[in-house]
Coordinates of all heavy atoms in Angstrom, one line a residue:
I16 N -3.4 -11.3 -14.9 CA -2.9 -10.5 -16.1 C -2.3 -9.2 -15.6 O -3.0 -8.4 -14.9 CB -4.0 -10.2 -17.1 CG1 -4.7 -11.5 -17.5 CG2 -3.4 -9.5 -18.3 CD1 -5.9 -11.2 -18.5
K18 N -1.6 -5.8 -16.9 CA -2.2 -5.1 -18.0 C -1.3 -4.1 -18.7 O -0.2 -3.8 -18.1 CB -3.5 -4.4 -17.5 CG -4.6 -5.3 -17.0 CD -5.9 -4.6 -16.7 CE -7.0 -5.5 -16.2 NZ -8.2 -4.8 -16.0
F57 N -11.9 -13.2 -24.0 CA -11.6 -13.3 -22.6 C -12.6 -12.6 -21.7 O -13.0 -13.1 -20.6 CB -10.2 -12.7 -22.3 CG -9.7 -12.9 -20.9 CD1 -9.3 -14.1 -20.5 CD2 -9.8 -11.8 -20.0 CE1 -8.9 -14.3 -19.1 CE2 -9.5 -12.0 -18.7 CZ -9.0 -13.2 -18.3
Y58 N -13.0 -11.4 -22.2 CA -14.0 -10.6 -21.4 C -15.4 -10.8 -21.8 O -16.2 -9.9 -21.6 CB -13.6 -9.1 -21.4 CG -12.4 -8.8 -20.5 CD1 -11.2 -8.3 -20.9 CD2 -12.5 -9.0 -19.1 CE1 -10.2 -8.0 -20.1 CE2 -11.5 -8.6 -18.2 CZ -10.3 -8.1 -18.7 OH -9.3 -7.8 -17.9
H61 N -18.5 -9.6 -20.0 CA -18.8 -8.2 -19.8 C -19.3 -7.6 -21.1 O -19.4 -6.4 -21.2 CB -17.5 -7.5 -19.4 CG -17.0 -7.8 -18.1 ND1 -17.7 -7.7 -16.9 CD2 -15.8 -8.4 -17.7 CE1 -17.0 -8.1 -15.9 NE2 -15.8 -8.5 -16.3
R64 N -21.8 -4.8 -21.1 CA -21.5 -3.7 -20.2 C -21.1 -2.4 -21.0 O -20.5 -2.6 -22.1 CB -20.4 -4.0 -19.2 CG -20.7 -5.2 -18.4 CD -21.8 -5.1 -17.3 NE -21.5 -4.1 -16.3 CZ -20.9 -4.4 -15.2 NH1 -20.5 -5.6 -14.9 NH2 -20.6 -3.5 -14.3
S65 N -21.4 -1.3 -20.5 CA -21.1 0.0 -21.2 C -19.6 0.2 -21.5 O -19.2 0.8 -22.4 CB -21.7 1.2 -20.5 OG -21.1 1.2 -19.2
F66 N -18.8 -0.4 -20.6 CA -17.4 -0.2 -20.6 C -16.6 -1.2 -21.5 O -15.4 -1.2 -21.6 CB -16.7 -0.2 -19.2 CG -17.0 -1.4 -18.4 CD1 -16.2 -2.6 -18.6 CD2 -18.0 -1.4 -17.5 CE1 -16.4 -3.7 -17.8 CE2 -18.2 -2.6 -16.7 CZ -17.4 -3.7 -16.9
F67 N -17.4 -2.1 -22.1 CA -16.8 -3.3 -22.9 C -15.8 -2.8 -24.0 O -14.7 -3.3 -24.0 CB -17.8 -4.2 -23.4 CG -17.3 -5.4 -24.1 CD1 -16.6 -6.4 -23.4 CD2 -17.4 -5.6 -25.5 CE1 -16.1 -7.6 -24.0 CE2 -16.9 -6.7 -26.1 CZ -16.3 -7.7 -25.4
D69 N -14.3 0.1 -24.4 CA -13.1 0.7 -23.9 C -12.2 -0.3 -23.2 O -10.9 -0.2 -23.3 CB -13.5 1.7 -22.8 CG -14.2 3.0 -23.4 OD1 -14.0 3.2 -24.6 OD2 -14.8 3.7 -22.6
L70 N -12.7 -1.3 -22.6 CA -11.9 -2.3 -21.9 C -11.1 -3.1 -23.0 O -9.9 -3.3 -22.9 CB -12.8 -3.3 -21.2 CG -12.2 -4.5 -20.6 CD1 -11.2 -4.2 -19.5 CD2 -13.3 -5.4 -19.9
V71 N -11.8 -3.5 -24.1 CA -11.1 -4.2 -25.2 C -10.0 -3.3 -25.8 O -8.9 -3.8 -26.0 CB -12.1 -4.7 -26.2 CG1 -11.4 -5.3 -27.4 CG2 -13.0 -5.8 -25.6
F73 N -8.4 -1.0 -24.5 CA -7.3 -0.8 -23.6 C -6.4 -2.1 -23.5 O -5.2 -2.0 -23.5 CB -7.8 -0.5 -22.2 CG -6.7 -0.5 -21.1 CD1 -5.6 0.4 -21.2 CD2 -6.6 -1.4 -20.1 CE1 -4.6 0.4 -20.3 CE2 -5.6 -1.5 -19.2 CZ -4.6 -0.6 -19.3
M74 N -7.1 -3.2 -23.5 CA -6.3 -4.5 -23.3 C -5.5 -4.9 -24.5 O -4.6 -5.7 -24.4 CB -7.3 -5.7 -23.0 CG -7.9 -5.5 -21.6 SD -6.7 -5.5 -20.2 CE -6.1 -7.2 -20.2
R94 N -6.5 -11.6 -5.1 CA -7.4 -10.5 -5.1 C -7.1 -9.5 -4.0 O -7.3 -8.3 -4.2 CB -8.9 -11.0 -5.0 CG -9.2 -11.7 -6.3 CD -10.7 -12.1 -6.4 NE -11.6 -11.0 -6.5 CZ -11.8 -10.3 -7.6 NH1 -11.2 -10.6 -8.7 NH2 -12.7 -9.3 -7.6
M97 N -4.2 -7.4 -5.1 CA -4.6 -6.4 -6.2 C -5.3 -5.2 -5.6 O -5.0 -4.1 -6.1 CB -5.5 -7.1 -7.2 CG -4.9 -8.2 -8.1 SD -5.9 -8.6 -9.5 CE -7.4 -9.2 -8.7
T100 N -11.2 -3.0 -7.6 CA -11.1 -2.8 -9.1 C -10.8 -1.3 -9.4 O -10.0 -1.0 -10.3 CB -12.5 -3.2 -9.7 OG1 -12.7 -4.5 -9.4 CG2 -12.4 -3.1 -11.2
N101 N -11.5 -0.4 -8.7 CA -11.2 1.0 -8.9 C -10.0 1.5 -8.0 O -10.2 1.4 -6.8 CB -12.4 1.9 -8.6 CG -12.2 3.3 -8.9 OD1 -11.1 3.8 -9.1 ND2 -13.3 4.0 -9.0
P102 N -8.9 1.8 -8.6 CA -7.7 2.1 -7.8 C -8.0 3.2 -6.7 O -7.3 3.2 -5.7 CB -6.7 2.6 -8.8 CG -7.2 2.3 -10.1 CD -8.6 2.0 -10.0
R111 N -3.0 -2.2 -7.1 CA -3.7 -1.1 -7.8 C -3.5 0.3 -7.1 O -3.4 1.3 -7.8 CB -5.2 -1.5 -7.9 CG -5.4 -2.6 -9.0 CD -6.8 -3.1 -8.9 NE -7.1 -4.0 -10.0 CZ -8.0 -4.9 -10.0 NH1 -8.7 -5.1 -8.9 NH2 -8.3 -5.7 -11.1
N117 N -6.6 4.4 -13.1 CA -8.0 4.5 -13.1 C -8.7 3.2 -13.3 O -7.9 2.2 -13.5 CB -8.5 5.5 -14.1 CG -8.0 5.2 -15.5 OD1 -8.3 4.1 -16.0 ND2 -7.2 6.0 -16.1
I118 N -10.0 3.1 -13.4 CA -10.7 1.8 -13.4 C -10.4 1.0 -14.7 O -10.5 -0.2 -14.7 CB -12.2 2.0 -13.1 CG1 -12.8 0.6 -12.7 CG2 -12.9 2.6 -14.3 CD1 -14.2 0.7 -12.1
D119 N -10.1 1.7 -15.8 CA -9.7 1.0 -17.0 C -8.3 0.6 -17.0 O -7.9 -0.6 -17.2 CB -10.0 1.9 -18.2 CG -11.4 2.1 -18.4 OD1 -12.2 1.2 -18.4 OD2 -11.8 3.3 -18.6
A120 N -7.4 1.5 -16.7 CA -6.0 1.2 -16.6 C -5.7 0.9 -15.2 O -5.1 1.6 -14.4 CB -5.1 2.4 -17.0
N121 N -6.1 -0.3 -14.8 CA -6.0 -0.7 -13.3 C -5.0 -1.8 -13.0 O -5.1 -2.5 -12.1 CB -7.4 -1.0 -12.8 CG -8.0 -2.3 -13.3 OD1 -7.5 -2.9 -14.3 ND2 -9.0 -2.8 -12.7
A122 N -3.9 -1.8 -13.9 CA -2.7 -2.6 -13.6 C -2.8 -4.1 -13.7 O -1.9 -4.7 -14.3 CB -2.0 -2.1 -12.3
V123 N -3.8 -4.7 -13.1 CA -3.9 -6.1 -13.0 C -5.3 -6.6 -13.2 O -6.2 -5.9 -12.8 CB -3.2 -6.7 -11.7 CG1 -1.7 -6.7 -11.8 CG2 -3.7 -5.9 -10.5
H124 N -5.4 -7.9 -13.6 CA -6.7 -8.6 -13.6 C -6.4 -9.9 -12.7 O -5.3 -10.4 -12.9 CB -7.1 -9.0 -15.0 CG -8.2 -10.1 -14.9 ND1 -9.5 -9.8 -14.7 CD2 -8.1 -11.4 -15.0 CE1 -10.2 -10.9 -14.7 NE2 -9.4 -11.9 -14.9
G125 N -7.4 -10.3 -12.0 CA -7.2 -11.6 -11.3 C -8.6 -12.3 -11.3 O -9.6 -11.7 -11.2
S126 N -8.5 -13.6 -11.5 CA -9.8 -14.4 -11.5 C -10.6 -14.1 -10.3 O -10.0 -14.0 -9.2 CB -9.5 -15.9 -11.6 OG -8.6 -16.2 -12.6
D127 N -12.0 -14.1 -10.4 CA -12.8 -13.7 -9.3 C -13.5 -14.9 -8.6 O -14.2 -14.7 -7.7 CB -13.8 -12.6 -9.7 CG -14.8 -13.2 -10.7 OD1 -14.8 -14.3 -11.1 OD2 -15.7 -12.4 -11.1
E135 N -10.2 -19.3 -17.2 CA -9.2 -18.3 -17.7 C -7.8 -18.9 -17.8 O -7.1 -18.5 -18.8 CB -9.2 -17.1 -16.6 CG -10.5 -16.3 -16.6 CD -10.5 -15.2 -15.7 OE1 -9.5 -15.0 -14.9 OE2 -11.5 -14.4 -15.6
Ligands
CMP220 P1 -10.9 -6.7 -14.5 O1 -10.7 -7.3 -13.2 O2 -9.9 -6.9 -15.6 O3 -12.3 -7.1 -15.1 C1 -13.0 -6.3 -16.0 C2 -12.4 -4.9 -16.2 O4 -13.3 -3.9 -16.7 C3 -12.1 -4.4 -14.8 O5 -10.9 -5.1 -14.3 C4 -11.8 -2.9 -15.1 O6 -10.5 -2.6 -15.6 C5 -12.8 -2.7 -16.3 N1 -13.9 -1.8 -15.9 C6 -14.1 -0.6 -16.5 N2 -15.2 0.0 -15.9 C7 -15.7 -0.9 -15.0 C8 -16.8 -0.9 -14.1 N3 -17.7 0.1 -14.0 N4 -17.0 -2.0 -13.3 C9 -16.1 -3.0 -13.4 N5 -15.1 -3.1 -14.2 C10 -14.8 -2.0 -15.0

Side-chain angles (χ1 to χ4, degrees):
I16 304 179
K18 296 188 180 184
F57 183 79
Y58 281 118
H61 296 300
R64 308 287 296 271
S65 58
F66 58 81
F67 183 68
D69 287 343
L70 174 61
V71 170
F73 173 65
M74 292 302 289
R94 290 187 69 79
M97 290 193 301
T100 304
N101 186 344
R111 284 168 170 156
N117 56 59
I118 197 165
D119 293 309
N121 67 350
V123 281
H124 165 83
S126 309
D127 65 2
E135 293 181 356

